[in-house]
Amino acid sequence: MTIQSVGRPTRPEGEASNTGFQSLTGGRGLLQNEPLIFELGGWSKTGVDIPPAEHDASDLAGLTRESVDLPGLSEPETMRHYVRLSQKNHAIDLAIYPLGSCTMKHNPRLNEKVARMAGFADLHPLAPVATTQGALQLMDRLAHWLKTLTGMPAVALAPKAGAHGELCGLLCIKAAHEAAGQSARRTVLVPTSAHGTNPATAAFVGYSVQEIAQTADGRVDLADLAAKLGPHVAAIMVTNPNTCGLFERDVISISKLTHEAGAYFYCDGANFNAIVGRVRPGDLGIDAMHINLHKTFSTPHGGGGPGAGPVVLSKALAPFAPAPWIVHREAGLGLTLVEEPEHEAAQAFGRMSAFQGQMGMFVRAYAYMRSHGADGLRQVAEDAVLNANYIKARMSGVMTAAFPDGPCMHEALFDDAWLEDTGVTTLDFAKAMIDEGFHPMTMYFPLVVHGAMLIEPTETESKRELDRFCDALCALAAAARLGDTERFKGAPYLAPLRRLDETLAARKPKLIWRPEIQPVPA
Ligand SMILES: *Cc1c(COP(=O)(O)O)cnc(C)c1O
């Protein structure tokens, strides 16, 4: 691998490449080597004509900027730069994206079409409610569906992701304890297999975190939970189905024990897609649960769109829900938003975000619900579980299932016992998948399973696609067993960039490009 002038690794070189072929330009197939936009653009040119300022610069009291240091590119150069970058990334629109826990499912185009309708897309958040009745109605219908599907009496729509929903839920719990004179409860119990956001959220709210042990069959250890509950515990945070892809069979006992100890039951609902339409969390004794609309309800993740993490709340927690929420005014007056912490909202703990949350995601999620209907949503859960079990069954003779007994829920979890003595690690195996055209599964999570590989196909993959994926895994597994370690140790050979120093990137991220520390292109 060579390093270019600004310290970024370039494409693989000679011996490291499978074919030994090296292009003259650093391009690959029809993909060009892509510099940063700052390296690409000139400083003296611009792609737009900016009219001279109307006001006298002296109005700015000496704060006038001489330059904003934007790289100057023409429209086609800018367009090509971003489209080329997009081609270097994997996307759910390109192939299966089997990241366990993340629920990367197809984003239906119908949702996109509805979200682009001018009545939704062009709304301003400060528009008077008299002019936004349609949007408020959609939020009200979405809230109704979320409450019905979860069997919970209230929902806060505003949180903007799962982790933000966890924060919302714990702030409700904290407010409820304070209102009941129970502020001495300072501990949150979290199972060892939890997603990192659970303990992080609890710590962020100011709680100390204590771990709950796991049983040999991958579930919450009830005896350990009972021993750790007490008058110092504010809440437990349990994921169900959990991050091992298993349903917590003792969930009713978990909620009973928790409530008897005076604590609240926060459920991480990121895996709701495995049970939607089949199990109502409200029936399990859950007090608060976030729902990732970008997981269960198919709205885009990350770069494809912001997340949304509405939180459903039990009767005990509902009075503390953050503003705003929708109320029906008397006949003929339509809907409005409760914005101020007074009257029925006097106990609200505050706000989670400016305005009402991710409106565009509400529209997409509601379109998804309405296009599936209640029976269709139930089938989503059934098909997600069926697909994961298909992978578990097909791969169990080849890889080692972490919990071989019985079926899994919506994701199949393997450990690295089957790689022992091959000289190949989970990381090597995942990187080799990239060369075969498949995005790797989630690696090394949950932490309770050694060398974990967590595969979540979702209901949107066909049997044909699942078979292609399993065929690739089988072929790679055979190569690993035959001792073809070269294939794994240097992988990925065919990606635009190879193995990056992820630790350095996380510890010392370079988030801005500075001309003073990097050479300005001529
Ligand atoms: C995705 C996920 C989260 C966090 O949700 P974000 O929307 O990414 O903030 C929390 N817990 C589990 C189990 C998850 O899979």
Side-chain angles (χ1 to χ4, degrees):
M1 186 186 324
T2 55
I3 302 289
Q4 52 164 223
S5 59
V6 291
R8 287 185 303 124
T10 59
R11 57 180 304 282
E13 300 262 321
E15 38 47 76
S17 150
N18 262 352
T19 58
F21 176 80
Q22 187 71 33
S23 72
L24 300 171
T25 57
R28 191 167 200 99
L30 285 172
L31 280 182
Q32 295 186 9
N33 196 14
E34 194 65 24
L36 296 179
I37 197 166
F38 295 98
E39 299 161 336
L40 205 58
W43 298 91
S44 54
K45 63 176 181 175
T46 168
V48 283
D49 293 325
I50 301 171
E54 271 178 29
H55 294 283
D56 189 341
S58 63
D59 289 357
L60 296 171
L63 295 173
T64 326
R65 285 173 83 171
E66 297 301 326
S67 150
V68 285
D69 287 345
L70 290 176
L73 290 107
S74 68
E75 183 172 315
E77 285 171 319
T78 311
M79 202 59 215
R80 285 175 181 167
H81 173 68
Y82 285 109
V83 172
R84 283 199 298 259
L85 279 186
S86 74
Q87 291 177 332
K88 293 190 196 305
N89 252 326
H90 190 64
I92 192 65
D93 289 340
L94 287 170
I96 183 172
Y97 210 147
L99 285 178
S101 216
C102 297
T103 312
M104 308 298 287
K105 61 167 80 169
H106 172 65
N107 312 137
R109 281 345 186 226
L110 177 65
N111 303 357
E112 298 303 320
K113 186 174 171 185
V114 178
R116 281 165 178 69
M117 288 167 71
F120 295 122
D122 295 348
L123 275 186
H124 192 282
L126 290 175
V129 290
T131 66
T132 59
Q133 287 295 305
L136 293 181
Q137 208 169 72
L138 182 135
M139 287 167 64
D140 191 50
R141 300 308 300 165
L142 175 71
H144 173 78
W145 275 70
L146 292 174
K147 289 186 288 186
T148 306
L149 288 168
T150 56
M152 302 281 274
V155 61
L157 291 178
K160 294 188 170 182
H164 205 213
E166 293 171 30
L167 180 62
C168 174
L170 285 202
L171 288 174
C172 286
I173 289 172
K174 194 168 176 229
H177 279 315
E178 277 167 11
Q182 293 280 311
S183 321
R185 294 179 177 271
R186 308 292 320 149
T187 300
V188 169
L189 303 181
V190 180
T192 326
S193 63
H195 192 270
T197 51
N198 294 184
T201 302
F204 190 72
V205 174
Y207 288 123
S208 61
V209 178
Q210 211 181 346
E211 276 189 23
I212 317 170
Q214 174 171 302
T215 58
D217 71 348
R219 291 165 173 98
V220 166
D221 184 329
L222 268 190
D224 193 53
L225 172 67
K228 286 178 178 154
L229 280 166
H232 61 294
V233 175
I236 61 162
M237 296 180 89
V238 171
T239 311
N240 195 23
N242 68 25
T243 59
C244 297
L246 303 169
F247 193 82
E248 293 287 353
R249 285 186 294 245
D250 292 327
V251 62
I252 301 279
S253 307
I254 292 173
S255 73
K256 267 207 180 121
L257 284 171
T258 303
H259 292 147
E260 278 164 19
Y264 288 104
F265 184 175
Y266 185 90
C267 180
D268 180 330
N271 295 336
F272 189 49
N273 61 311
I275 56 172
V276 59
R278 291 204 59 121
V279 178
R280 300 191 311 166
D283 297 337
L284 308 178
I286 284 157
D287 294 296
M289 182 181 94
H290 71 258
I291 300 162
N292 313 57
L293 297 188
H294 47 289
K295 292 180 181 174
T296 303
F297 296 107
S298 81
T299 72
H301 292 236
V311 178
V312 286
L313 298 164
S314 65
K315 201 161 161 244
L317 293 181
F320 306 96
W325 63 78
I326 289 173
V327 287
H328 293 249
R329 291 185 294 185
E330 53 205 82
L333 289 179
L335 305 171
T336 192
L337 285 169
V338 173
E339 301 264 12
E340 301 301 329
E342 54 192 25
H343 309 303
E344 76 267 50
Q347 288 183 285
F349 72 72
R351 296 185 76 98
M352 286 304 293
S353 60
F355 310 118
Q356 70 294 312
Q358 307 285 26
M359 187 64 202
M361 298 304 133
F362 298 163
V363 179
R364 287 171 176 84
Y366 187 60
Y368 181 79
M369 290 170 174
R370 293 305 304 261
S371 58
H372 281 71
D375 56 336
L377 288 178
R378 183 188 173 101
Q379 192 169 351
V380 159
E382 289 169 354
D383 290 352
V385 171
L386 181 65
N387 277 0
N389 277 287
Y390 183 74
I391 289 182
K392 184 176 182 187
R394 255 208 75 179
M395 297 314 300
S396 278
V398 181
M399 298 157 71
T400 40
F403 300 99
D405 296 338
C408 57
M409 295 294 290
H410 61 304
E411 47 199 0
L413 178 58
F414 299 91
D415 60 24
D416 62 355
W418 64 283
L419 285 172
E420 214 181 312
D421 303 327
T422 59
V424 173
T425 65
T426 290
L427 180 74
D428 300 331
F429 189 80
K431 296 295 184 192
M433 288 172 68
I434 296 174
D435 286 335
E436 303 302 327
F438 289 95
H439 193 285
M441 63 290 270
T442 291
M443 299 180 288
Y444 300 107
F445 174 81
L447 304 177
V448 284
V449 167
H450 198 272
M453 294 176 230
L454 183 62
I455 304 176
E456 177 174 8
T458 83
E459 79 284 0
T460 58
E461 296 304 329
S462 63
K463 176 168 180 297
R464 174 195 169 108
E465 191 59 21
L466 295 180
D467 278 329
R468 272 183 6 96
F469 177 70
C470 290
D471 289 346
L473 292 185
C474 289
L476 279 175
R481 289 224 167 81
L482 284 173
D484 185 4
T485 42
E486 260 313 280
R487 173 181 302 280
F488 296 92
K489 288 290 163 199
Y493 292 102
L494 303 175
L497 293 179
R498 311 237 342 252
R499 289 205 192 184
L500 307 180
D501 188 338
E502 290 164 14
T503 313
L504 185 69
R507 298 272 155 83
K508 293 190 178 167
K510 277 192 191 169
L511 301 177
I512 17 177
W513 186 86
R514 288 180 204 280
E516 62 271 24
I517 56 166
Q518 275 129 347
V520 181

